[in-house]
Amino acid sequence: MHNRRNILKFSIALLLSGVASKAFTTRLSTKATSKNIKGKTIIVIGAGIAGLSAAQTLKDQGAKVIVLEAGNYVGGRIKTDVSMGAPFEYGAGWIHGPSNNNPIQQLAKQVNASTFVTKDDNLEVFDIEEGSIPDAEYERIDDLYERLVEELYYKVNRSDQRSIKEVINDIDPSILQDPIAKWLLSAFVEFDIGAGIEDISAALAFADEAFKGDDVIFTNGYDSILQPLMDGLDIHLNNPVRSVSYSKSGVQVNEYTADYAICTVPLGVLKANHIKFTPSLPATLEEAISELGFGTVTKIALKFEDAFWDVDTQYFGVLTEPKGRWNYWLNYRTFSDENILLGLSFGRYAPLADKMTPEEMAQDALSVLRSVWGKAVGQPLSILTTHWSENPNFKGAYSYPQVGGTKSQYEIFKEPIKDRLFFAGEHTIFEYHSTTHGALLSGLRAAKAILDIQ
């Protein structure tokens, strides 16, 4: 068990951004009032947390709100399965930065959710050939990243057009030949951002904001926070939106006519042109949709009869090839009684894993576990898997800034079209993209924008 993960993770962020994240201290108000919103009809497309927060805010102000959801459940990329006896989170798994300013933390308190602080320093990393890596290896990597921070602080700016991989190669090509350095970049950077270091903009990778506090998980399921947002809403499940027409006089969404519409579908759905907009969206918005990155992270939960691992260690790292292949594991025994290991794949390997059948994915993941624990790894009792990039209602997990990208590609979504069509979702708020709190805040922003034009 080692206590260096936070140091290294901060070093990578500082190394590539040159600035520390700032805590968000001003929250969008949900108490805006309008004398004219009563009697207005608003269609919200998507019942994820962005859509729910927007819909609940507008309903509370007296509007008639209809929520159209393509899937058969509420929550979008918040989806919990408890069939293994402990929550398996298909999507969102942590409250990132559970300070009192974080709206997800506020919801958790509202529903008295049970949470557990994950200990990032409770970590053991394995080399497939050498076994558990010695402390000296951690110390060597510490020294390496201290040097990189010093060099890169002055060499990466907001106009830099290189990827993270290119920046590191320009500093020292040997770094990416180092198995431990590759693992760190994958397990921390590729996990956080949701794409490969080959594809992520070095200039923008860590230019977003963050709340303070150590990340926590929900021991009874992330979906427990949704109830206050769902309360009293008119939600139509299994109702995918195929057409949106808008003009200065109103909107039509499928067969529904309304005064306004808020589109909260994932960026992947917009990229796939699953919705026909009439007239076409502005060229600048279409360009942003095309150029923003939308990546994936793949999960597999394996439940065993007995634990063959150290039940007191929270995270296990494995130096796998190719990079990103089941190289990070969360041990459920640290917060539950279930013998479950949650494996994750990142970067360019994640979409390959998404294409596997559950059986193929299980064999792939089990081979990694057996490379560490050998014959002690038996057959799992049950298996759950994710395939976000293959799901037609999502086409990926979360957005990221691609090489050559700009903040304006996120910010352009803030502008309403003809004061009738609005957008929300994690891909519309650069400061908190890729997070549930970002999605929620974007929903509040869209609702406030409608209230403000009354």
Side-chain angles (χ1 to χ4, degrees):
M1 295 179 225
H2 307 281
N3 62 5
R4 297 183 176 89
R5 179 183 173 196
N6 283 338
I7 297 171
L8 291 169
K9 188 173 181 181
F10 178 72
S11 296
I12 294 169
L14 198 61
L15 165 159
L16 292 169
S17 70
V19 293
S21 293
K22 296 177 288 185
F24 179 76
T25 57
T26 305
R27 186 180 165 211
L28 287 171
S29 173
T30 60
K31 299 185 181 299
T33 59
S34 171
K35 295 179 180 178
N36 301 319
I37 197 67
K38 291 184 178 179
K40 301 292 185 180
T41 300
I42 301 163
I43 304 294
V44 175
I45 306 169
I49 199 163
L52 295 177
S53 65
Q56 190 63 238
T57 300
L58 292 164
K59 179 186 76 69
D60 287 348
Q61 294 300 319
K64 177 183 179 182
V65 182
I66 300 170
V67 182
L68 303 180
E69 167 56 45
N72 61 1
Y73 69 97
V74 172
R77 281 164 278 178
I78 296 176
K79 183 181 181 184
T80 304
D81 186 316
V82 295
S83 62
M84 286 185 168
F88 170 67
E89 306 294 355
Y90 279 88
W94 286 262
I95 304 180
H96 296 297
S99 75
N100 289 332
N101 290 324
N102 188 326
I104 302 300
Q105 176 69 2
Q106 294 167 10
L107 281 173
K109 288 183 176 179
Q110 186 176 342
V111 300
N112 295 315
S114 174
T115 59
F116 174 84
V117 179
T118 50
K119 301 176 179 63
D120 288 349
D121 60 349
N122 189 350
L123 166 72
E124 186 170 12
V125 179
F126 293 90
D127 184 309
I128 290 174
E129 295 182 359
E130 304 291 334
S132 181
I133 68 171
D135 282 350
E137 288 292 272
Y138 289 88
E139 293 166 3
R140 180 177 65 82
I141 295 299
D142 282 350
D143 293 341
L144 169 65
Y145 275 93
E146 285 178 11
R147 177 172 66 85
L148 285 173
V149 168
E150 182 70 24
E151 291 188 31
L152 283 178
Y153 184 89
Y154 300 102
K155 295 185 180 179
V156 177
N157 57 53
R158 293 291 175 262
S159 61
D160 201 305
Q161 297 294 299
R162 292 174 295 173
S163 69
I164 291 176
K165 181 179 180 180
E166 289 171 325
V167 169
I168 292 173
N169 268 332
D170 288 345
I171 294 298
D172 184 350
S174 68
I175 293 171
L176 291 175
Q177 304 305 312
D178 184 327
I180 296 177
K182 285 171 63 178
W183 176 81
L184 286 165
L185 288 164
S186 179
F188 300 158
V189 177
E190 293 186 335
F191 186 7
D192 285 348
I193 300 176
I197 58 172
E198 305 86 352
D199 305 307
I200 302 166
S201 163
L204 296 178
F206 299 98
D208 52 347
E209 308 273 340
F211 291 108
K212 292 181 178 179
D214 294 331
D215 293 351
V216 303
I217 59 175
F218 291 92
T219 56
N220 293 323
Y222 211 117
D223 61 357
S224 63
I225 66 170
L226 296 176
Q227 191 56 51
L229 298 176
M230 295 168 53
D231 190 34
L233 290 180
D234 181 15
I235 302 174
H236 299 236
L237 299 178
N238 301 305
N239 205 321
V241 169
R242 299 303 182 200
S243 64
V244 175
S245 299
Y246 60 93
S247 67
K248 291 183 178 180
S249 60
V251 297
Q252 182 167 337
V253 180
N254 289 354
E255 71 274 19
Y256 297 90
T257 300
D259 297 287
Y260 306 100
I262 302 176
C263 181
T264 74
V265 300
L267 177 62
V269 174
L270 295 175
K271 284 179 171 289
N273 294 313
H274 285 181
I275 299 175
K276 178 177 174 57
F277 292 93
T278 306
S280 298
L281 297 176
T284 51
L285 185 56
E286 289 190 335
E287 183 179 354
I289 290 169
S290 174
E291 294 185 358
L292 275 176
F294 199 58
T296 193
V297 167
T298 309
K299 299 180 183 180
I300 185 168
L302 302 169
K303 181 175 180 178
F304 296 92
E305 180 70 33
D306 299 300
F308 48 82
W309 58 91
D310 178 1
V311 296
D312 294 322
T313 299
Q314 187 141 56
Y315 292 103
F316 298 105
V318 187
L319 308 185
T320 56
E321 288 290 345
K323 176 173 58 65
R325 175 180 174 243
W326 310 116
N327 60 3
Y328 200 45
W329 294 81
L330 171 63
N331 169 23
Y332 270 51
R333 280 293 300 273
T334 55
F335 56 87
S336 81
D337 295 328
E338 303 297 337
N339 293 317
I340 297 171
L341 288 176
L342 174 71
L344 299 111
S345 283
F346 312 121
R348 290 187 170 180
Y349 195 78
L352 300 179
D354 275 359
K355 292 180 183 298
M356 298 178 185
T357 65
E359 294 75 20
E360 291 170 338
M361 194 184 293
Q363 290 308 308
D364 193 39
L366 285 167
S367 68
V368 170
L369 293 179
R370 287 173 181 144
S371 72
V372 174
W373 286 284
K375 294 181 181 179
V377 182
Q379 286 299 313
L381 300 176
S382 54
I383 302 165
L384 291 172
T385 61
T386 69
H387 307 264
W388 287 107
S389 62
E390 295 297 298
N391 187 318
N393 292 336
F394 299 93
K395 306 294 288 183
Y398 39 86
S399 65
Y400 70 94
Q402 291 194 104
V403 175
T406 63
K407 286 185 180 180
S408 63
Q409 291 168 347
Y410 287 85
E411 292 168 350
I412 194 171
F413 286 95
K414 296 178 182 178
E415 299 299 322
I417 303 175
K418 296 187 184 296
D419 280 344
R420 295 292 176 176
L421 177 60
F422 300 75
F423 286 86
E426 57 82 18
H427 60 283
T428 72
I429 181 167
F430 178 81
E431 293 83 358
Y432 302 105
H433 67 82
S434 310
T435 66
T436 53
H437 55 262
L440 187 151
L441 289 168
S442 76
L444 297 180
R445 182 192 66 210
K448 185 175 184 296
I450 290 178
L451 294 169
D452 285 346
I453 64 176
Q454 296 305 308

